[in-house]
Amino acid sequence: MRIVLALCFLLTVGITHSQTKQLQQAKIDAFIEDSLNRENFELLKRKLSSDSNLKGWSKYYSSKAFSLYRAGQYDSAIVQAKKAISNFDESEPKYHVDEKSLLQANYLLGLINRLQKQYVKSNAYLYRSLELNEKYPYKYIGYIIGTLAANHLALGNNEKALHYYRQNLRDSICMGLSQPSVVVLTRMGVLYSKSYLNMPDSSLFYFNRAKNRSLQNGYSDNLPFIYCNIANFYKEHDKDSTLHFYRKSKETFETYVPDWRVAPSTTEFLQLVVNSYVDIHEGKTQEAIDNLKLVTDSLRQNVTNKDDKDILDLAYQHLVMAHEYQGNQSMAVEVLKERNGFLENFHKKELKQELAELELQYETVNNKRKISKLEEISKVNAKLLKQQRLLLLGLVGILLLSTFVGLLLFRQKNLKNKLENVSLQQRLLRSQMNPHFLFNALQKATMLITVRPDAAKDYIIKLGNLLRLTLENSRNDRVALADELTALRSYLELQSDFSKNFDFYFDVDQNIDKEMIELPPMLIQPLIENAVQHGFGAITYKGSIKILLKKLNPTTMLCTVTDNGIGYRESSTGSIRDHRSLSLQIVQERLALFHRKAGTLPLFEIRQISEEPNGPGGTEVKISIPFVAV
């Protein structure tokens, strides 16, 4: 008794402890979703530190990383974001709140690597964010896609950049915000101006859309770049428009305050290139040359992406134009040679970079495969240990299951044998009941041959059909209801012809399709034979038998056999009772087996209809018969 109480106590303590943990984790989740911001990181840290089983550290590190990023502490932000990822990778079991936070951690690492011009590494983190977005949809996914597109644009992957910017265009949230929508439209204009597309009209269309959106929404950070790109569009065929838009670019640059978290580091050089074009046309040629030389000397040795290359190329173009305005053709030629040499070297360096990136990608994939293989081996070892611990229990379970299955098979075999024995008894009973009926029928046929030969032929045909149906039905496990009713009707017609002392009626439910229903044979026949042989044996009035078939459910019907004979109790004496009880007992046993096989409950009822001493008695028998619709 004490052991039982101790076990109950331990079980109660365990359940309470588990429920307490679940409640604490639910509070942490609610705190993360509703209250987490830069002011209460330490509060979350204290809550998580209170119990090593609580989950949420990845969310903490991820949110902390974003706070440091906004403060411009990029190195610290990288450390925290990587902690968020490693914490989730090392934790078991994995928790959905922590996994969801990895989307932000990977996006942040991609964003910082982009600012550091590590475009390939940036893309790797951004693609991981996109994978997580499929499981945990992020409302502002447009920012991730836009950053990915900008990386591909910087790497010269114009087709991929165009693909992702088009996704941004279809994003209603992204295009509904001022800054992202202007950036996307500007970048689309840049892409359509590239040589691989070379669709200047489409380029101008997107630049104008970006300009109008900036002016409407009050977002002016991109205006200097937009005006510069529009000016470059007109440069080949409309010098007045070119100068007009360069002046607009110069004006907006004067009030431009760059956000160094997202603005290119070469923005100041682009401003000098724009100003130089205006200075050349305003007679400040030497000042323009000095500024352009500063740009070319500064950028020439440190160009890492296509954006910087475009700025340097534009500076060379303006420098050639400045020397031509001074009439110094020899210097213009020298600048052109320098420009062509730079472009050639840039393309070579670009090719080497692409090869290096491909090698890096290969090594990264290879390392990931090795790590995955080691993790897989570790998991396999853990599974083997677990399987060894469960092996004994498994063997015991298999033994118990085998024993249970054996018992079921043994029981099923016994049930089958019992059904076969009962069916055999039913057939033997039929062979005992038929001779008396057959003797009377043959006597009737002999008499009709002598008295009414024409009627004798029909009578003998009916008798033959009845014997054939009885023989066929007794051999089958199931027969059509229509065949069973035909056999019953033939039997009753022949029996009523012996003395004309009873009538019979069939009442079949209209919901019963007699041709499409099959049921066990010879279940109704013994009930009718009992009524004819024992119920009407000594009556002096007109007998009557009514057979009612009614559908109870899709697999069961109710059969009611009612007669107005001498009654069940009065007839149940002596040998009559023995024979009648035996036939009904076999019917009852067969019904029980058929219902058990069908998974339904059997019904078998016999009742005396009337207790009047001098009037007609009568018996009512009800049975439920399982059937199959074919």
Side-chain angles (χ1 to χ4, degrees), residues 362 364-374:
Y362 173 78
T364 302
V365 171
N366 197 31
N367 289 335
K368 284 184 177 179
R369 286 176 181 170
K370 290 179 181 178
I371 293 171
S372 298
K373 190 173 182 179
L374 290 173

Side-chain angles (χ1 to χ4, degrees), residues 215-367:
L215 295 174
Q216 290 170 3
N217 296 338
Y219 176 75
S220 59
D221 285 8
N222 261 40
L223 274 175
F225 307 94
I226 295 170
Y227 284 131
C228 177
N229 281 293
I230 295 176
N232 291 332
F233 169 80
Y234 287 111
K235 187 177 289 185
E236 297 296 328
H237 57 278
D238 190 343
K239 292 184 178 180
D240 291 338
S241 296
T242 304
L243 182 58
H244 167 74
F245 284 107
Y246 267 126
R247 281 176 174 159
K248 296 290 291 183
S249 179
K250 180 180 180 181
E251 291 174 8
T252 49
F253 261 129
E254 290 173 355
T255 59
Y256 174 66
V257 179
D259 181 355
W260 296 114
R261 291 176 302 178
V262 294
S265 59
T266 53
T267 300
E268 291 182 351
F269 293 134
L270 178 61
Q271 185 175 0
L272 289 174
V273 173
V274 168
N275 292 345
S276 68
Y277 189 92
V278 177
D279 291 340
I280 291 169
H281 288 80
E282 291 181 352
K284 303 175 184 178
T285 309
Q286 190 56 48
E287 183 178 347
I289 291 174
D290 293 339
N291 288 330
L292 290 170
K293 284 289 291 180
L294 174 64
V295 173
T296 56
D297 292 343
S298 301
L299 282 180
R300 189 170 52 225
Q301 304 302 325
N302 194 33
V303 174
T304 58
N305 58 70
K306 293 293 182 66
D307 290 338
D308 293 351
K309 186 268 291 185
D310 290 341
I311 294 173
L312 183 55
D313 188 29
L314 193 59
Y316 276 126
Q317 294 176 32
H318 290 183
L319 190 56
V320 170
M321 183 177 62
H323 287 303
E324 288 177 345
Y325 265 68
Q326 284 186 337
N328 194 344
Q329 293 298 329
S330 61
M331 284 302 300
V333 171
E334 289 297 322
V335 172
L336 278 174
K337 288 181 180 180
E338 186 177 317
R339 173 179 177 264
N340 293 335
F342 154 72
L343 292 176
E344 184 179 352
N345 290 331
F346 178 81
H347 291 311
K348 288 180 180 178
K349 188 185 298 183
E350 185 180 46
L351 180 60
K352 289 182 180 179
Q353 183 180 357
E354 289 176 358
L355 292 173
E357 288 167 358
L358 288 173
E359 186 176 353
L360 176 62
Q361 290 177 359
Y362 173 78
E363 291 178 356
T364 302
V365 171
N366 197 31
N367 289 335

Side-chain angles (χ1 to χ4, degrees), residues 437-472:
F437 163 73
L438 185 60
F439 177 75
N440 289 337
L442 291 174
Q443 278 190 331
K444 177 72 174 181
T446 302
M447 182 187 68
L448 287 174
I449 290 172
T450 305
V451 179
R452 295 178 56 193
D454 55 337
K457 180 180 179 181
D458 293 337
Y459 186 85
I460 292 172
I461 290 174
K462 288 182 180 180
L463 178 60
N465 289 337
L466 174 61
L467 294 176
R468 177 180 58 78
L469 283 171
T470 302
L471 181 62
E472 289 179 355

Side-chain angles (χ1 to χ4, degrees), residues 64-215:
K64 186 73 173 178
F66 257 96
S67 177
L68 293 168
Y69 165 75
R70 294 189 187 99
Q73 301 177 37
Y74 296 155
D75 292 339
S76 298
I78 290 174
V79 171
Q80 296 298 317
K82 288 185 176 180
K83 277 187 177 181
I85 296 172
S86 62
N87 176 267
F88 178 80
D89 291 340
E90 295 168 4
S91 64
E92 289 293 342
K94 308 299 184 186
Y95 194 55
H96 68 279
V97 173
D98 283 333
E99 185 180 26
K100 185 177 179 181
S101 69
L102 299 187
L103 185 147
Q104 294 179 333
N106 280 279
Y107 169 52
L108 180 61
L109 289 170
L111 196 58
I112 296 175
N113 275 278
R114 167 170 169 72
L115 295 177
Q116 296 173 345
K117 300 184 180 181
Q118 301 292 325
Y119 302 113
V120 175
K121 288 179 65 177
S122 173
N123 282 348
Y125 288 117
L126 295 173
Y127 279 127
R128 178 57 181 150
S129 293
L130 289 183
E131 291 175 7
L132 290 165
N133 180 69
E134 294 179 2
K135 191 172 183 180
Y136 304 103
Y138 181 48
K139 181 178 180 181
Y140 299 107
I141 188 65
Y143 283 100
I144 299 174
I145 292 174
T147 307
L148 192 61
N151 284 346
H152 282 297
L153 186 60
L155 290 168
N157 301 327
N158 296 327
E159 291 184 7
K160 288 187 177 180
L162 185 63
H163 167 73
Y164 288 116
Y165 278 131
R166 281 174 174 165
Q167 286 190 33
N168 277 146
L169 287 175
R170 293 191 294 268
D171 187 338
S172 59
I173 295 178
C174 174
M175 297 308 292
L177 299 172
S178 299
Q179 188 263 352
S181 62
V182 171
V183 171
V184 170
L185 292 171
T186 303
R187 291 294 184 174
M188 287 292 290
V190 171
L191 280 165
Y192 276 106
S193 69
K194 297 292 183 182
S195 58
Y196 93 102
L197 286 175
N198 195 21
M199 299 173 65
D201 292 337
S202 296
S203 173
L204 183 63
F205 167 76
Y206 281 108
F207 285 137
N208 282 326
R209 281 188 63 187
K211 178 194 68 175
N212 294 335
R213 182 70 63 88
S214 295
L215 295 174

